[in-house]
Amino acid sequence: MKISIKLDADRNIIGVNNTNDSAAEAQSKIKGWSLIESNPAFSIENKELWTVRESDNALVHISTGMTPDEEKTQADALLGKTVGEALAKAQTADTKSENAVASAAQLGKLIAPLLATQATSNIDDGGNK
């Protein structure tokens, strides 16, 4: 659906005509008004949160400069990146712990014969020699 929007000098929405496409088109012929494609998330009640992006005449949130679909895409990408980094860190931690266990096992193999010989030579005879 097409709507017509009027912006002030700071690109704040100060007028909206969303009655129907033909009324919006007629309104857009008046100086200061623009015909744009509406966004399902846009409502007149929260028009102060929105503006029209100059590059493509799309309704966007003032806070992000993006449409709700673009915000969702960015959030999904950020979530994917975060999950990927977490998985990579977990895999690195698993590898480090596996290496530590392997090192401890190797050390145990080296020390075991020494401990075995020491145990037989240090027999306590109860103080009688």
Side-chain angles (χ1 to χ4, degrees):
M1 177 175 137
K2 298 282 188 180
I3 61 174
S4 57
I5 298 279
K6 184 172 186 175
L7 301 173
D8 67 10
D10 296 323
R11 304 204 52 81
N12 297 309
I13 297 174
I14 57 172
V16 178
N17 184 337
N18 64 351
T19 53
N20 60 49
D21 284 0
S22 60
E25 193 170 333
Q27 184 81 41
S28 71
K29 299 198 185 307
I30 299 172
K31 184 177 179 181
W33 288 81
S34 302
L35 186 66
I36 61 165
E37 190 66 38
S38 185
N39 186 301
F42 175 77
S43 72
I44 294 173
E45 290 80 28
N46 65 8
K47 72 179 190 239
E48 70 279 354
L49 303 176
W50 296 79
T51 190
V52 177
R53 188 167 48 203
E54 288 184 83
S55 62
D56 59 359
N57 272 356
L59 273 168
V60 296
H61 286 129
I62 291 172
S63 60
T64 63
M66 293 185 278
T67 67
D69 288 342
E70 292 167 342
E71 291 170 345
K72 183 182 180 322
T73 299
Q74 183 182 39
D76 289 347
L78 182 59
L79 177 63
K81 179 183 175 195
T82 303
V83 168
E85 288 173 353
L87 289 172
K89 287 179 183 177
Q91 187 175 16
T92 299
D94 284 348
T95 301
K96 286 181 179 179
S97 70
E98 287 172 11
N99 289 344
V101 169
S103 295
Q106 188 68 24
L107 181 61
K109 286 180 185 177
L110 293 172
I111 294 175
L114 297 172
L115 292 175
T117 59
Q118 184 179 13
T120 57
S121 64
N122 289 337
I123 297 174
D124 185 6
D125 64 0
N128 299 325
K129 290 195 178 193

